[in-house]
Amino acid sequence: MAVGSAHFPEMPVIDGIKLGVAQAGIKKPSHDDLVVIELDEGTRVAGVFTQNAFCAAPVHVAKRHLADDAPRWLVINTGNANAGTGDQGLRDARACCEALAEAAGGVVGNVLPFSTGVIGEPLPVERIKAALPAALDALGNNHWAAAGRGILTTDTRPKGATRTLEINGETVHINGIAKGSGMICPNMATMLAFVGTNASIDHDTLQSLLSDTTTRSFNRITVDSDTSTNDACMLMATQRTQMLDAEGLTRFKDALQAVMTELAQAIIRDGEGATKFITIDVEEAANEGEALAVAFSIAHSPLVKTALYASDANWGRFLMAVGKAPVADLDVDKVVLELNGVRLAEHGGRAAGYSEEAGSQAVAEQEITVRVALGRGAHAERVWTSDLSHDYVSINADYRS
Amino acid sequence: MAVGSAHFPEMPVIDGIKLGVAQAGIKKPSHDDLVVIELDEGTRVAGVFTQNAFCAAPVHVAKRHLADDAPRWLVINTGNANAGTGDQGLRDARACCEALAEAAGGVVGNVLPFSTGVIGEPLPVERIKAALPAALDALGNNHWAAAGRGILTTDTRPKGATRTLEINGETVHINGIAKGSGMICPNMATMLAFVGTNASIDHDTLQSLLSDTTTRSFNRITVDSDTSTNDACMLMATQRTQMLDAEGLTRFKDALQAVMTELAQAIIRDGEGATKFITIDVEEAANEGEALAVAFSIAHSPLVKTALYASDANWGRFLMAVGKAPVADLDVDKVVLELNGVRLAEHGGRAAGYSEEAGSQAVAEQEITVRVALGRGAHAERVWTSDLSHDYVSINADYRS
């Protein structure tokens, strides 16, 4: 299941970025499971990675190679996460980098590795090595859609977003692809997103643009409250324009935020077993911390998520989820709850004038905005989540991730 | 579904406590849904209540009446939680107390009200009032089992625990009953438990005994991470023995802890949709906080819970859950993971000598002990949880709680 349109946008060429896809047979035969991204020399790359302490071997290696600041290739495999694999996992990730560097004419530190799939199985290095030449042969600057398909695991659809804008007379493109469906509660990034642009931006600015836009996109979504071991989001800028000035950077950041948010939302729309796309707006909070605490308390609640799955306007469960959040001295009389504009609760109970009919109609929609006003201040935060369905249980009781 | 034996123990009479059950027809006809507990004068009562900010009207009223320190009656209805009901809910809870006080010959402050069931519906006060005389007529000192059945909602079985010990030549009894199956992640208490004893214990000691034993029983369980609006646990001591001395109190506390833990475990065994009973032992933590953070991170993880439902020894998901817990500078190389004594992971990956056969055999059991050693210190904590099954989704997509 998935919610909303499965449309994958037309993506423009980004000068200096080529993508190639191959079949390594890592988990299934005849399945695109290996993607190589080649970056022209001089491309600057910023990254954010999972905060899970058990972060995967490729995350360790990618962080180290990224610090060398000369990335030329990204190699991404699906079907195996190379996580929970100890020292052998680190050696395997480096072996893939070495093989790619040798085949492509670089050094091992030029390669950033990424893996997604089952945790705890040894990475099939030989199969990946054997498929690398095919991926290099396939490199082309118009293969964003193929790469978007090549990085999927339990996803049911590829996820892409793109924006084009004119800055100081030059055309700036931003293309992004992402994968992710379960084990989604990113903390710094999500598993996996790759965003490219032809813009010229210095490295520190690029990193802070990525961190800022991640905060309000991938760090604001949850499918199941579980933070993956492999999350990573990379921003690659090929420096083909004039260096962006302050005004250009502001406009670039808005466009980047739009791409990042669209990708994050696409992950929720394709959340494991999702039948609903839920936006949670917490308003009138005293600060960011309590707004997010309430929003995620609702977004993580199995009882809220099963009620949404059942299209049940069960406002009692929403109040329960608000009330269990760690917010000191919450005055429940001031809390207001609305679903798609229908006021369900206020003054600690059912709203005056609320009818079950109106509530049922609101919650029957595939896309639902939950608005909670706390009556404590002026801070607002927004997060996105999906519902909890039978299919979520089936997928995760059957699939070994 | 439920895990383990449904045995309800034989319970001794506790002098000074009588229980009566009646049918008020609150939600279903011909169903025991109203329980009155009568306490002899001089009984001391301690209570712990939910920390949910949206706590129910009866919780507010019971706390206030308990502060008056002259409780003589408890009135418990199922089928309606009287939560999210605003000022009308408070008036309704008080009206039930008034009716019972009038019928039984006391004052309103002598009555503690408790409700459990659907949130957000007005309490059917008239039906409860109409059934009170029948509950009073039914009062008897050997009706613990009937009361245990009378407080159930989505539970599939009554839950009771009892201990008897000799202290200074006198026989001391402790009887407890509890209900709860979903919306279970108590914070200070669970919905609902009533424990009675004939022991003589002063009020402050009684309260601290209750708080201490709650911490290591009801505050160590989770079905779905959702904290109810109505949780309450009451300890009633009828003062029929000599005042317990220090040694007697120590032995009493051990027995009380056993009763409380058995009741808490019974709630997990009957957790909504439960097919497994899971004990999570986190050892070698630096302190209580990080031990509990890791234990609840595992216990709340939908991916761990669906793997357990599928009897899949998916140790990668356990490591993911350990790694996402907020523990600073966790050295994953030192983490050890065992299921029912089978070592699955160590040194950041699969344990040497681990076989899928041994893991599959361990996780196929109905009762599973997960042991995680963090290698950081000497602190240990234990929590209990259930798995996440299709039935959990069915129950909560169908039942309006």
Side-chain angles (χ1 to χ4, degrees):
Chain A
M1 278 184 280
V3 183
S5 159
H7 174 73
F8 190 94
E10 286 293 317
M11 290 206 176
V13 165
I14 294 191
D15 286 337
I17 300 183
K18 289 180 182 156
L19 312 99
V21 178
Q23 301 184 349
I26 294 168
K27 227 178 129 189
K28 300 186 247 187
S30 308
H31 179 78
D32 286 345
D33 54 10
L34 188 70
V35 175
V36 170
I37 303 179
E38 183 174 270
L39 309 172
D40 269 12
E41 234 171 317
T43 298
R44 294 200 171 109
V45 180
V48 286
F49 298 92
T50 182
Q51 298 293 299
N52 193 305
F54 274 99
C55 71
V59 171
H60 283 292
V61 175
K63 278 181 174 173
R64 198 163 319 147
H65 291 183
L66 190 58
D68 295 347
D69 200 22
R72 295 288 314 286
W73 294 276
L74 285 68
V75 55
I76 308 135
N77 74 272
T78 67
N80 183 307
N82 194 9
T85 44
D87 287 341
Q88 184 63 45
L90 291 171
R91 284 193 292 273
D92 289 345
R94 275 195 294 262
C96 291
C97 295
E98 277 161 17
L100 177 54
E102 193 173 332
V107 297
V108 62
N110 296 146
V111 184
L112 308 179
F114 303 87
S115 297
T116 171
V118 61
I119 299 178
E121 300 293 329
L123 190 71
V125 176
E126 292 311 315
R127 289 188 209 172
I128 292 172
K129 280 166 136 178
L132 282 172
L136 288 170
D137 282 350
L139 283 173
N141 59 12
N142 58 351
H143 294 165
W144 285 89
R149 288 190 299 273
I151 60 175
L152 306 182
T153 52
T154 60
D155 310 59
T156 70
R157 45 167 79 159
K159 298 158 185 70
T162 183
R163 291 291 185 281
T164 293
L165 64 171
E166 299 288 318
I167 298 181
N168 298 327
E170 293 181 298
T171 302
V172 174
H173 298 295
I174 307 174
N175 284 353
I177 54 174
K179 67 83 48 184
S181 186
M183 205 177 275
I184 298 292
C185 182
N187 182 5
M188 284 310 287
T190 195
M191 172 70 182
L192 300 159
F194 302 96
V195 180
T197 179
N198 58 329
S200 293
I201 302 171
D202 71 72
H203 187 272
D204 288 353
T205 305
L206 199 69
Q207 183 67 45
S208 82
L209 283 170
L210 178 62
S211 299
D212 287 358
T213 55
T214 299
T215 298
R216 298 192 173 275
S217 55
F218 297 116
N219 285 359
R220 291 290 183 273
I221 62 174
T222 180
V223 169
D224 50 17
S225 79
D226 278 339
T227 303
S228 162
T229 47
N230 290 50
D231 291 339
C233 177
M234 310 304 295
L235 175 60
M236 306 164 285
T238 58
Q239 316 287 324
R240 295 298 181 93
T241 67
Q242 303 169 60
M243 192 60 71
L244 298 194
D245 57 14
E247 196 229 320
L249 277 174
T250 301
R251 294 183 50 224
F252 180 86
K253 186 174 179 180
D254 287 346
L256 177 63
Q257 183 71 66
V259 167
M260 298 281 278
T261 301
E262 205 171 308
L263 291 174
Q265 292 183 355
I267 286 174
I268 293 302
R269 288 179 191 283
D270 195 25
E272 285 175 343
T275 73
K276 306 265 188 182
F277 175 80
I278 318 293
T279 302
I280 300 172
D281 281 330
V282 175
E283 301 174 1
E284 300 177 10
N287 53 55
E288 178 187 358
E290 68 180 40
L292 288 175
V294 169
F296 278 110
S297 182
I298 296 168
H300 289 159
S301 163
L303 290 171
V304 166
K305 291 163 94 85
T306 46
L308 288 166
Y309 170 51
S311 292
D312 176 9
N314 192 322
W315 53 269
R317 294 189 188 173
F318 284 91
L319 296 191
M320 175 281 298
V322 173
K324 75 170 177 156
V327 174
D329 304 319
L330 179 68
D331 182 350
V332 299
D333 279 345
K334 292 188 177 161
V335 174
V336 170
L337 168 69
E338 293 178 353
L339 259 61
N340 279 358
V342 175
R343 182 161 298 202
L344 277 70
E346 63 190 357
H347 304 306
R350 182 157 43 194
Y354 171 71
S355 73
E356 282 284 337
E357 291 68 30
S360 297
Q361 209 171 332
V363 80
E365 299 290 325
Q366 274 207 336
E367 309 222 350
I368 297 171
T369 296
V370 178
R371 179 179 168 267
V372 173
L374 298 178
R376 294 163 61 88
H379 201 91
E381 289 291 339
R382 172 174 290 181
V383 309
W384 297 278
T385 191
S386 50
D387 54 340
L388 173 56
S389 69
H390 281 293
D391 272 16
Y392 179 87
V393 176
S394 296
I395 291 165
N396 287 299
D398 298 344
Y399 174 75
R400 173 170 273 213
S401 66
Chain B
M1 279 184 280
V3 183
S5 161
H7 174 71
F8 190 94
E10 285 294 317
M11 289 205 176
V13 165
I14 293 190
D15 286 337
I17 299 183
K18 289 180 183 157
L19 311 99
V21 178
Q23 300 184 348
I26 293 167
K27 225 179 129 185
K28 300 187 248 188
S30 307
H31 180 78
D32 287 345
D33 55 9
L34 188 69
V35 175
V36 170
I37 303 179
E38 184 174 87
L39 309 172
D40 270 12
E41 236 172 312
T43 297
R44 293 197 171 111
V45 179
V48 286
F49 298 91
T50 182
Q51 299 292 299
N52 192 304
F54 273 99
C55 71
V59 171
H60 284 291
V61 175
K63 278 180 172 173
R64 200 166 317 150
H65 290 185
L66 190 59
D68 295 346
D69 201 24
R72 295 290 313 286
W73 295 276
L74 286 68
V75 55
I76 307 136
N77 74 271
T78 69
N80 183 307
N82 194 9
T85 45
D87 288 341
Q88 184 62 45
L90 292 170
R91 284 193 292 273
D92 289 345
R94 276 195 293 262
C96 292
C97 295
E98 277 160 17
L100 177 54
E102 194 173 332
V107 297
V108 62
N110 296 145
V111 183
L112 308 180
F114 303 87
S115 296
T116 172
V118 61
I119 298 178
E121 299 293 329
L123 190 71
V125 177
E126 294 310 316
R127 289 188 208 174
I128 292 172
K129 280 167 136 178
L132 282 173
L136 288 171
D137 283 349
L139 283 173
N141 59 13
N142 58 350
H143 293 165
W144 285 89
R149 288 190 300 273
I151 60 176
L152 305 182
T153 51
T154 59
D155 309 61
T156 70
R157 44 167 79 163
K159 297 156 185 72
T162 183
R163 290 293 185 280
T164 293
L165 64 169
E166 299 288 318
I167 297 181
N168 297 328
E170 293 181 298
T171 303
V172 173
H173 299 295
I174 307 174
N175 284 353
I177 55 175
K179 68 83 47 183
S181 185
M183 206 176 275
I184 298 291
C185 183
N187 183 4
M188 284 312 286
T190 195
M191 172 72 183
L192 303 160
F194 302 96
V195 180
T197 178
N198 59 327
S200 293
I201 302 171
D202 71 71
H203 187 273
D204 289 353
T205 305
L206 199 68
Q207 183 67 45
S208 82
L209 284 171
L210 178 61
S211 299
D212 287 358
T213 54
T214 299
T215 298
R216 297 191 174 276
S217 54
F218 296 117
N219 285 0
R220 291 290 182 275
I221 62 174
T222 180
V223 169
D224 50 16
S225 78
D226 279 339
T227 303
S228 162
T229 47
N230 289 51
D231 291 339
C233 177
M234 309 302 296
L235 175 59
M236 307 164 284
T238 58
Q239 317 287 323
R240 296 299 180 93
T241 66
Q242 304 168 61
M243 193 59 71
L244 298 194
D245 58 13
E247 197 229 317
L249 277 173
T250 301
R251 294 184 50 224
F252 179 88
K253 186 175 179 178
D254 287 346
L256 177 63
Q257 183 71 66
V259 167
M260 298 280 278
T261 301
E262 206 171 305
L263 291 173
Q265 292 183 356
I267 285 174
I268 294 302
R269 288 178 191 282
D270 196 24
E272 285 175 343
T275 73
K276 306 264 188 184
F277 175 81
I278 317 294
T279 302
I280 300 172
D281 281 330
V282 175
E283 301 173 2
E284 300 176 10
N287 54 54
E288 178 186 357
E290 68 180 41
L292 287 175
V294 170
F296 278 110
S297 181
I298 297 168
H300 289 160
S301 163
L303 290 171
V304 166
K305 291 163 93 86
T306 45
L308 288 165
Y309 170 51
S311 292
D312 176 9
N314 193 323
W315 52 270
R317 293 189 189 174
F318 284 91
L319 296 191
M320 175 279 298
V322 172
K324 76 171 177 155
V327 175
D329 305 319
L330 180 67
D331 182 351
V332 300
D333 278 346
K334 291 189 178 161
V335 175
V336 170
L337 168 70
E338 294 177 352
L339 259 61
N340 280 357
V342 175
R343 183 162 297 202
L344 277 70
E346 63 190 356
H347 304 307
R350 182 157 45 193
Y354 170 71
S355 73
E356 282 284 337
E357 291 68 31
S360 298
Q361 208 170 333
V363 79
E365 300 289 325
Q366 273 206 337
E367 311 221 350
I368 298 170
T369 296
V370 178
R371 179 178 168 268
V372 173
L374 298 178
R376 293 163 61 88
H379 201 91
E381 290 290 340
R382 172 175 290 181
V383 309
W384 296 277
T385 191
S386 50
D387 54 340
L388 173 55
S389 68
H390 281 293
D391 273 16
Y392 179 88
V393 176
S394 296
I395 291 165
N396 287 299
D398 299 343
Y399 173 75
R400 172 170 274 212
S401 65

